Amino acid sequence: TTQILNGSVGVVAPVEVATMNLDYPMPTWAEKALLLYPCPQGTVEDGFAPDGSVFCSACDAGRYRDSFALSCSPCGPGRFADNPGSAVCQKCPPTTRSADQSASRSCIQCPAGTLCPSGTSMPLPCPLGHFCLAGNELPTPCANGTKRSETGGSAPQDCAPCEPGSYNALVGRSECSPCPAGWFTAEAGQLECSMCPRGSFTSNIGTSACTSCEDAGPLGSTTEDIASSDASDCQCPGETYMPVADKSCQPCPEGMSCAFGSKEQSIGEVGKAWPVARRGFMTRTSAPLLVFKCLLEEHCPGGSCQDGACSVQTCAAHRDTNAVACGRCVAGAYQSGSECLLCEVGLDSLPLVFVIVSVLVLLSAVTLAINRDMIHQTRWAVGVMVSLACLFAAIQTTSVYLALNMKWMEPLASLMKALSILTFDLSHVKKECSMSIDPVSQQLARQLIPPIFLTYIALVLVVKRRFAPVTHLAPEFLNTAGTILMNFFVSICISVFDPLVCYAHPGVRGYTSMRSDPSVLCFNSREHTAMLVIGIAACVLTPLPFLSTAIFAVWKYPRYVAMHDIAFMKAFRFLFFRFEPSAYFFGVALLLRNLLICLVPVMIRNDAAAQILAAAALMIVWIVSQCLLRPWRNSAANTLDGAMSGCILLVLVCGAVGGAYTASEITTQATSVFVLVAFLSMWFVLIAWNLFKQLSKSDVYDMLICHNKAGGAAQAKLIKLLVAEQGGQRVFLDSDELQQLDNLLDTVKAKVRNLVVYLTHETLTRPWCAGEVVTAMKTGKRITVVLTPSFMAPTSEQLEMVDAYLEVGGADLLVQYGIAVGDVRDSYAQLVAAQGCVHIRVERDPTNTRHFQHLVDRLIQKQTKSAAVPDAASPGCLVISADPCDAEAAAAACILISRAKPSVASFLKEGVSFLSDHMDMGIVGHCLAITVARALVVILSTDTLSSRHQLEIIAHVKGLNEKDHGPVAIPVNVDFSPPSTHYYSRVLPQIWPEVSEAQVRRIGVFFRTASCPYSTRASDQVLRAQIHAIVRRIPLNWTSASGIGAGIYEDDLTHIEFEDNDGEEEEEEKEEEEQYEEEEEEEQEEIEEEVVREPLRSGLAAKLPGMRASE
């Protein structure tokens, strides 16, 4: 191989190879060129050196020579050679050009607005849509939103923004595109066009603004979509429509749905839009824009619009499209739930017939059942009856919710619908299939149901009397009618108030419809006027008289009970039997509650939230009252009533939650203020009352009498009366607060100056007496002890076992109030020993007026002038006889005298005489006094049957009465039970050995005579009523001739009790037998009414308002 190195050719091969026979290849072009052009590139031959070698010189700047050139050549356009000896000419770099067209030694910068690619000798102009900066190799395109319509742009400012109405989304554009119709650009230089918003349009291209529909279409119109390109696209928006009379868009009527482009003039046109009723609303063909709200959504499916085409369906199947709110079914169909179903011929009248027959049978059974003798009804039967009454009352209350403006969800909706039959709604029995009656006739029929029931009850009782002659028509009718009206009072009120329970329809006209029959417009139709008149008449004839009668009966109840008026109790058994005597007024409270609940939908019509709040408030007040009073006679019924009332309130809450009702701002504010004020008021009143009771001096008593009601009730009451009259002091009887021991002890602590312990046989065994004594001892009160002959002081052994000395449970009761057994022991020991207290010993039981006056003088430590005792034999006076050995009977007589004097003063000028005040006269003197008296009041007490004095007085006055002489005998029952026949045959002869058969008969007749009740344990209110009943039996007119027995003289008085008129005996016995049979019948009635007598006899009357709790 050969190698050219430094211009010479050398052979490169190993030595050993040189001796080999090699075939050399042909020389290359480079080797040949080197032989032809011995000078390297960039140089040329410039003669020969002395040694014969070639001398080479470099090419000048701007010229070059490559390997094949014989001489240096000039650089061409766009090229340059800046140094001598260049083998090649270089291209001018981009953005530059050669300085000369030939043999250029350098390149110069191209100006802005031109382009100079590499090797350029002449600059090119910058292309359209671009601009060229000096020094940039490539042109810069104009930004989007701009354009360059000419060449030679040299800066960004040379790109002009697109005019309004045009856009350019690309770069390097020479022109902008115009916006199409429905599009616009409001400003220059926009990259894209904007669509015309709803409510505007543009029909031209290249516009810079859209035309508003307000300017080109109806007022308030808009377009359905954006980018609208025609004025016809401007229509009334959804939920508005264009009326015929007003070329502007108006809000869609409430209860209607308006599709886009709805017009009143398009109603009924195919392919057009117009207002259609929403679900739950309807319109009639005669007034397509007058909207009525349907009571249930299912009644009115409403219309619909799709793709601009509307269809109308105003009422559900088989509903009358001409009736307001689709409120009734078409002829031949009946209401079944929320649907109208077609009647089946011959079958659909059976339910109505079945209901009528069932109601009549049930009414007959009720009439017979509720008038059964109460003596035959066990406690459990009474409990069942009371519980059923509670249940029915709760169901009746729940039925009121049907009238509220609420939508009930299942299963409550079905329950409420089922309860509607209790409001005399006959839709469940397919009445439409049996008879065709208009709403007025239907309302009249509903109001006639109670009178028809009452008439039927009267007929049942008349039939009953034919089979049971002892049936008392008037009391039993009143009781049965009252029971029916009491239990159906809510139903009657709902049906009466039905025309006033309306709900509002949408629209400015203010139409309202009856909830029970939406097809009847309230106060805007003849039908409603007629129904309103019927309702008012029914209200005046049934609910108002019944409520007034109940209120009157409650007002008179204490008086009639005090008089033992059995007929009254029978007649109003329905009103009082279910409740405790202390809550005898609760029947009226129940009626008033039901009336107020029925008035809620009447007074509050359209505000469902306000209705819910009002009904809830009434139920809360009722629950609180029921818990405080516990009025039901059966304890389980009280629990049941409270639980049911709570459930009723929960049902109301469920209805409110399911309906998602929103109260108005006014309702919310008013309710919040009311609740806040009520809460703060109760808190303030409670604190203020306690402070007032603590600080007030008006409730301070001068004396508290601690006594045992069984042996000292009348004596304590008489002492209280005399202390108030003679000493002007306030006296408190502990028997007034025996049910609330803490109140009693608090009275002793803070409101009593002197504790008077009136000790009779069992006084100290009573726990409240122990509590009073301990409290008085510990608080340092003055204690006065009155020791009567019947009192026996406890022994030391009894004091040691004081818990056994007290009555059963007494010690446990005292412990609950912080009084230990040891406290009772110590206090009793001090009491008996007269330590820290004053003893007043009564040597004999007080049995007349002077005895009690003397005792009171010692108590008040003041000598009072005793009133003159009337002459016992004063003709025409009122004589009062009591057991002369019975202190309680004597006290009862003194109370009667004191309380009766103001009542008899106007006609009884002769005065009142108490025989016990004239014991010196003996039995003969007493009989003489009775003979000339106007009336004789005999106090029948427990010991009357063993008092010969009383028995002789009774026999004497009845003997006078048999001859139509003597005073009117008035038996007064204090605590007396008629004796059995064994008493007359065995006991009476032992008490009065000389008694004759005629006297025994007279005594028996007297004891069977209806007596006046007289309970000294009762409250002042009851006591006044009882005394008034006694006074009424005293004759107003009296003459001496009628008051003195004929043929009775002073010398005959010794035998007056033993006279036996044999000549008249047979006739008198016959009359007595007839009278006895009548009295036996009356006695049987009294036995039947034992449930009334017994509570009165055991102190139950003392639980009435104003009365005090019994022992």
Side-chain angles (χ1 to χ4, degrees):
T1 59
T2 58
Q3 181 180 11
I4 300 176
L5 184 61
N6 296 327
S8 62
V9 179
V11 177
V12 181
V15 176
E16 55 272 15
V17 177
T19 61
M20 296 178 60
N21 296 322
L22 298 175
D23 294 331
Y24 290 96
M26 292 296 294
T28 62
W29 286 107
E31 293 173 341
K32 293 178 179 181
L34 185 58
L35 293 177
L36 293 175
Y37 311 105
C39 289
Q41 295 178 0
T43 60
V44 293
E45 294 182 6
D46 190 17
F48 294 95
D51 58 1
S53 61
V54 178
F55 184 79
C56 296
S57 60
C59 294
D60 296 332
R63 293 178 177 273
Y64 75 98
R65 190 190 74 82
D66 57 15
S67 301
F68 303 102
L70 297 178
S71 61
C72 294
S73 301
C75 293
R79 293 177 177 271
F80 74 99
D82 53 350
N83 295 319
S86 298
V88 292
C89 291
Q90 300 178 11
K91 289 183 179 180
C92 286
T95 72
T96 62
R97 64 180 180 87
S98 58
D100 301 309
Q101 291 297 319
S102 177
S104 178
R105 298 185 178 185
S106 62
C107 295
I108 60 176
Q109 185 73 37
C110 290
T114 60
L115 288 176
C116 291
S118 177
T120 300
S121 61
M122 293 296 293
L124 302 176
C126 196
L128 298 175
H130 295 72
F131 63 91
C132 298
L133 299 176
N136 282 4
E137 180 179 0
L138 297 175
T140 303
C142 290
N144 44 10
T146 63
K147 64 176 182 176
R148 174 66 182 177
S149 303
E150 299 177 353
T151 60
S154 60
Q157 294 80 5
D158 294 337
C159 296
C162 294
E163 297 83 358
S166 61
Y167 73 99
N168 183 10
L170 304 176
V171 298
R173 302 298 297 270
S174 60
E175 296 294 338
C176 295
S177 301
C179 293
W183 298 70
F184 76 101
T185 55
E187 298 178 357
Q190 297 299 308
L191 307 183
E192 60 183 8
C193 295
S194 300
M195 291 181 289
C196 289
R198 284 186 177 88
S200 62
F201 70 96
T202 176
S203 55
N204 300 321
I205 63 173
T207 58
S208 59
C210 297
T211 303
S212 173
C213 288
E214 295 286 342
D215 300 329
L219 185 62
S221 63
T222 185
T223 56
E224 186 174 12
D225 296 317
I226 57 177
S228 296
S229 59
D230 195 272
S232 61
D233 294 337
C234 292
Q235 300 287 342
C236 290
E239 303 310 321
T240 65
Y241 79 107
M242 187 169 67
V244 174
D246 189 359
K247 299 301 182 181
S248 63
C249 297
Q250 301 296 328
C252 194
E254 184 180 354
M256 301 193 77
S257 176
C258 295
F260 179 82
S262 294
K263 297 180 181 179
E264 181 182 1
Q265 64 183 13
S266 300
I267 293 177
E269 296 184 17
V270 179
K272 298 293 185 67
W274 65 82
V276 295
R278 293 180 182 273
R279 178 176 174 81
F281 297 87
M282 65 87 66
T283 61
R284 294 186 291 185
T285 306
S286 57
L289 296 182
L290 182 58
V291 185
F292 297 103
K293 181 180 179 180
C294 302
L295 188 61
L296 296 178
E297 289 187 354
E298 293 80 359
H299 293 175
C300 306
S304 62
C305 290
Q306 294 182 353
D307 299 330
C310 295
S311 61
V312 178
Q313 186 178 5
T314 55
C315 293
H318 309 307
R319 287 199 168 271
D320 188 353
T321 57
N322 294 320
V324 173
C326 303
R328 66 182 63 153
C329 301
V330 297
Y334 66 94
Q335 181 78 33
S336 175
S338 60
E339 298 179 313
C340 285
L341 304 179
L342 295 176
C343 298
E344 299 179 12
V345 179
L347 297 177
D348 288 328
S349 60
L350 295 179
L352 180 60
V353 176
F354 175 77
V355 168
I356 293 175
V357 173
S358 300
V359 169
L360 294 180
V361 172
L362 182 62
L363 201 58
S364 303
V366 170
T367 303
L368 299 176
I370 65 176
N371 289 298
R372 289 187 60 208
D373 295 337
M374 296 175 63
I375 198 67
H376 299 301
Q377 296 180 359
T378 65
R379 175 187 174 189
W380 306 112
V382 172
V384 171
M385 294 175 62
V386 173
S387 299
L388 289 175
C390 291
L391 177 62
F392 200 79
I395 294 175
Q396 284 275 292
T397 304
T398 308
S399 65
V400 179
Y401 294 165
L402 285 170
L404 300 182
N405 192 24
M406 299 174 62
K407 179 181 179 182
W408 297 94
M409 302 178 65
E410 293 294 345
L412 293 179
S414 299
L415 174 63
M416 292 298 171
K417 190 62 180 177
L419 292 178
S420 64
I421 195 171
L422 297 178
T423 62
F424 310 136
D425 182 3
L426 302 179
S427 61
H428 297 278
V429 295
K430 306 179 182 180
K431 66 180 186 306
E432 297 91 343
C433 299
S434 304
M435 61 188 75
S436 178
I437 56 176
D438 57 276
V440 177
S441 301
Q442 182 175 342
Q443 173 73 356
L444 180 61
R446 292 176 65 185
Q447 304 314 313
L448 289 177
I449 290 177
I452 291 174
F453 280 6
L454 299 184
T455 304
Y456 182 76
I457 291 171
L459 293 176
V460 172
L461 290 175
V462 170
V463 174
K464 177 186 174 183
R465 190 171 187 178
R466 292 180 60 87
F467 297 96
V470 295
T471 301
H472 299 85
L473 287 181
E476 291 191 17
F477 174 77
L478 287 176
N479 180 44
T480 308
T483 301
I484 298 300
L485 295 177
M486 184 88 174
N487 288 320
F488 285 93
F489 188 73
V490 171
S491 301
I492 294 172
C493 289
I494 290 177
S495 64
V496 167
F497 297 149
D498 211 12
L500 297 175
V501 181
C502 306
Y503 71 95
H505 292 297
V508 297
R509 299 190 182 183
Y511 286 141
T512 58
S513 275
M514 291 177 52
R515 289 191 63 85
S516 60
D517 191 344
S519 64
V520 179
L521 292 175
C522 294
F523 308 103
N524 200 22
S525 63
R526 293 183 179 178
E527 288 179 332
H528 185 264
T529 302
M531 296 173 73
L532 196 59
V533 171
I534 293 173
I536 294 174
C539 183
V540 172
L541 294 176
T542 307
L544 285 183
F546 175 66
L547 182 59
S548 302
T549 303
I551 294 174
F552 176 80
V554 168
W555 178 41
K556 292 292 185 180
Y557 178 80
R559 179 177 177 181
Y560 284 110
V561 168
M563 296 169 58
H564 282 193
D565 193 326
I566 303 302
F568 173 84
M569 296 304 298
K570 274 188 172 183
F572 293 96
R573 174 176 163 185
F574 70 92
L575 193 61
F576 305 115
F577 170 70
R578 295 180 293 176
F579 305 108
E580 291 284 353
S582 59
Y584 69 96
F585 56 86
F586 208 75
V588 170
L590 182 62
L591 292 175
L592 292 176
R593 183 207 71 170
N594 292 339
L595 177 63
L596 290 176
I597 291 181
C598 291
L599 286 175
V600 168
V602 177
M603 306 303 295
I604 307 172
R605 293 187 177 181
N606 300 314
D607 193 340
Q611 289 179 340
I612 294 170
L613 291 173
L618 287 174
M619 290 308 303
I620 290 173
V621 171
W622 178 257
I623 292 174
V624 172
S625 302
Q626 191 273 339
C627 292
L628 290 176
L629 297 176
R630 298 188 64 81
W632 298 94
R633 188 182 293 270
N634 185 276
S635 58
N638 287 299
T639 304
L640 179 64
D641 187 28
M644 285 187 173
S645 298
C647 292
I648 291 173
L649 187 58
L650 287 178
V651 168
L652 189 64
V653 173
C654 291
V657 172
Y661 303 104
T662 303
S664 63
E665 184 177 355
I666 296 177
T667 301
T668 304
Q669 291 177 350
T671 305
S672 302
V673 171
F674 173 78
V675 172
L676 181 61
V677 170
F679 173 77
L680 294 178
S681 298
M682 288 187 292
W683 174 82
F684 176 77
V685 169
L686 180 62
I687 293 180
W689 175 253
N690 285 297
L691 291 176
F692 171 77
K693 298 296 286 185
Q694 182 69 25
L695 302 176
S696 175
K697 300 299 183 181
S698 61
D699 289 342
V700 175
Y701 297 93
D702 298 286
M703 187 182 300
L704 185 147
I705 302 178
C706 169
H707 67 288
N708 176 21
K709 290 188 70 173
Q715 300 172 64
K717 183 158 289 195
L718 178 60
I719 292 173
K720 174 183 177 181
L721 182 65
L722 294 176
V723 168
E725 291 179 354
Q726 300 176 13
Q729 298 181 8
R730 299 187 66 205
V731 181
F732 183 88
L733 296 182
D734 61 356
S735 59
D736 295 340
E737 282 287 353
L738 294 185
Q739 286 186 333
Q740 298 293 335
L741 186 56
D742 52 347
N743 293 343
L744 182 59
L745 298 181
D746 187 69
T747 302
V748 176
K749 295 175 189 175
K751 299 180 181 180
V752 172
R753 296 189 179 97
N754 182 15
L755 175 67
V756 176
V757 185
Y758 197 82
L759 293 178
T760 55
H761 178 57
E762 295 181 340
T763 303
L764 292 183
T765 64
R766 300 297 188 255
W768 59 84
C769 178
E772 293 168 12
V773 173
V774 171
T775 303
M777 287 284 186
K778 288 191 173 184
T779 56
K781 300 292 182 180
R782 180 187 175 190
I783 301 177
T784 303
V785 182
V786 179
L787 296 96
T788 64
S790 65
F791 172 70
M792 296 183 61
T795 63
S796 58
E797 291 79 7
Q798 288 175 326
L799 289 179
E800 287 298 325
M801 301 294 293
V802 70
D803 53 342
Y805 177 71
L806 296 174
E807 66 179 19
V808 178
D812 296 338
L813 178 64
L814 293 173
V815 170
Q816 299 177 17
Y817 298 95
I819 299 177
V821 175
D823 297 332
V824 179
R825 181 188 307 111
D826 297 340
S827 298
Y828 276 9
Q830 296 178 35
L831 190 75
V832 173
Q835 297 178 4
C837 58
V838 178
H839 277 196
I840 298 177
R841 185 172 297 277
V842 180
E843 299 301 333
R844 56 173 294 181
D845 285 330
T847 56
N848 58 44
T849 306
R850 289 186 295 273
H851 292 165
F852 285 106
Q853 288 180 343
H854 179 63
L855 176 59
V856 170
D857 289 342
R858 297 173 67 184
L859 282 175
I860 63 178
Q861 298 179 353
K862 180 181 178 181
Q863 185 67 33
T864 59
K865 183 179 180 181
S866 301
V869 178
D871 186 2
S874 176
C877 70
L878 171 65
V879 177
I880 297 179
S881 173
D883 182 3
C885 300
D886 188 349
E888 277 292 283
C894 291
I895 294 173
L896 176 60
I897 294 171
S898 177
R899 294 291 181 88
K901 277 184 179 180
S903 300
V904 302
S906 61
F907 66 91
L908 191 63
K909 306 299 182 182
E910 297 80 4
V912 181
S913 178
F914 182 29
L915 293 182
S916 294
D917 290 339
H918 306 278
M919 293 303 296
D920 56 331
M921 295 175 60
I923 185 63
V924 174
H926 288 174
C927 290
L928 178 61
I930 293 171
T931 302
V932 298
R934 177 193 300 249
L936 171 66
V937 174
V938 181
I939 303 296
L940 300 177
S941 60
T942 305
D943 296 333
T944 296
L945 295 177
S946 60
S947 174
R948 176 170 176 171
H949 182 276
Q950 283 281 81
L951 296 174
E952 290 187 20
I953 294 293
I954 293 171
H956 174 64
V957 73
K958 291 303 293 183
L960 294 175
N961 292 159
E962 288 176 357
K963 302 173 185 179
D964 294 330
H965 292 291
V968 174
I970 306 173
V972 173
N973 189 337
V974 175
D975 193 6
F976 177 80
S977 297
S980 63
T981 56
H982 173 76
Y983 171 81
Y984 299 102
S985 61
R986 299 291 181 88
V987 180
L988 182 56
Q990 296 179 9
I991 299 172
W992 187 4
E994 301 86 357
V995 66
S996 66
E997 293 183 0
Q999 291 168 334
V1000 171
R1001 175 176 47 77
R1002 293 166 185 165
I1003 293 173
V1005 170
F1006 184 82
F1007 284 157
R1008 290 193 298 271
T1009 302
S1011 60
C1012 295
Y1014 181 54
S1015 175
T1016 56
R1017 304 174 186 177
S1019 67
D1020 290 342
Q1021 179 185 1
V1022 174
L1023 202 59
R1024 282 194 299 269
Q1026 292 174 340
I1027 293 175
H1028 179 72
I1030 297 171
V1031 171
R1032 289 177 60 186
R1033 298 181 65 171
I1034 302 173
L1036 297 177
N1037 300 318
W1038 179 87
T1039 62
S1040 61
S1042 64
I1044 301 176
I1048 299 176
Y1049 302 96
E1050 186 174 356
D1051 57 345
D1052 294 325
L1053 290 177
T1054 56
H1055 309 288
I1056 199 166
E1057 285 299 330
F1058 305 99
E1059 290 184 2
D1060 194 3
N1061 301 312
D1062 296 330
E1064 302 176 0
E1065 185 70 23
E1066 183 176 353
E1067 182 179 354
E1068 290 177 350
E1069 286 182 357
K1070 187 175 181 179
E1071 294 177 355
E1072 290 292 342
E1073 288 177 359
E1074 294 176 355
Q1075 183 178 0
Y1076 180 78
E1077 291 177 356
E1078 295 177 358
E1079 291 173 348
E1080 281 291 321
E1081 183 178 354
E1082 294 177 357
E1083 184 177 359
Q1084 179 63 27
E1085 293 178 4
E1086 292 177 357
I1087 293 175
E1088 293 174 354
E1089 301 303 326
E1090 185 65 22
V1091 72
V1092 177
R1093 285 181 176 272
E1094 185 59 30
L1096 294 173
R1097 196 174 292 130
S1098 62
L1100 193 57
K1103 296 183 180 180
L1104 302 177
M1107 307 176 186
R1108 300 302 182 186
S1110 68
E1111 188 177 344

